Amino acid sequence: MVDAWEASVEAQIRSAQERGEFDNLPGAGKPIPGRDLPYDESWWITSFLEREALPTDLLLPTPLQLRRRVEQVPDEVRDLPTEESVREFVGLLNQEIVAWLRYPAGPRVAVRPVDTEAVLRGWRAHRATRAVPAPSAPTPTPPARRPRFRWPWRRPPG
């Protein structure tokens, strides 16, 4: 039974080769990527992350992801326009942290909710240093003078 199945598969491959279905495939004649590298057990996940352009942070356990996000809070809120948006951002992150603290999973890593007021102080300080003085009111320019109309039959004086 197995021999008949193998023979059938080989026959299909041979007929596809004769029809030219394997000609001009992408990557034909190119070396296999990573062939000279040492074996990596997680080659498939790293290649997937590279191919899909996903951050490698997704591989971290939840507490480490949360710690990394807490560290990045000042950079994340720096360009937010209002205090309300900063409070909302920090509030959502704190909700995720509290949800994890209720049912922790993964390695034991200390993760605390973010101090909203401390983040706001940093945000205000950054905005104060970044503040550009308001441009002064432009000086009004006099309206352009129109050339005087000269009648064609009049000669200019002088």
Side-chain angles (χ1 to χ4, degrees):
M1 176 93 165
V2 173
D3 292 335
W5 184 78
E6 288 179 5
S8 169
V9 170
E10 290 295 327
Q12 289 177 2
I13 292 173
R14 200 173 317 108
S15 65
Q17 283 176 336
E18 291 170 0
R19 289 190 307 267
E21 292 182 14
F22 295 123
D23 297 342
N24 300 322
L25 291 175
K30 296 180 184 173
I32 298 172
R35 182 173 178 213
D36 298 330
L37 298 176
Y39 179 72
D40 180 18
E41 291 180 1
S42 60
W43 65 269
W44 58 274
I45 191 72
T46 54
S47 65
F48 174 77
L49 291 173
E50 288 174 7
R51 184 176 61 246
E52 300 297 324
L54 297 172
T56 55
D57 294 352
L58 296 177
L59 299 177
L60 294 174
T62 304
L64 294 178
Q65 286 181 8
L66 291 172
R67 288 271 305 256
R68 182 161 289 178
R69 289 186 59 200
V70 168
E71 292 171 359
Q72 295 171 347
V73 164
D75 296 331
E76 294 284 330
V77 300
R78 181 172 292 137
D79 296 327
L80 293 178
T82 62
E83 284 190 22
E84 280 188 26
S85 58
V86 173
R87 286 183 189 277
E88 181 181 351
F89 180 85
V90 174
L92 291 174
L93 179 58
N94 283 340
Q95 284 178 359
E96 290 181 40
I97 292 171
V98 168
W100 179 79
L101 288 172
R102 285 188 183 138
Y103 303 104
R108 292 180 180 223
V109 177
V111 181
R112 294 183 185 164
V114 179
D115 182 9
T116 306
E117 295 305 317
V119 171
L120 277 172
R121 281 192 299 273
W123 178 79
R124 287 183 196 122
H126 176 73
R127 288 183 65 92
T129 60
R130 186 179 75 150
V132 178
S136 60
T139 56
T141 56
R145 293 181 61 185
R146 292 187 305 172
R148 285 182 31 178
F149 180 76
R150 298 188 183 263
W151 294 99
W153 60 85
R154 290 180 80 193
R155 289 188 185 169

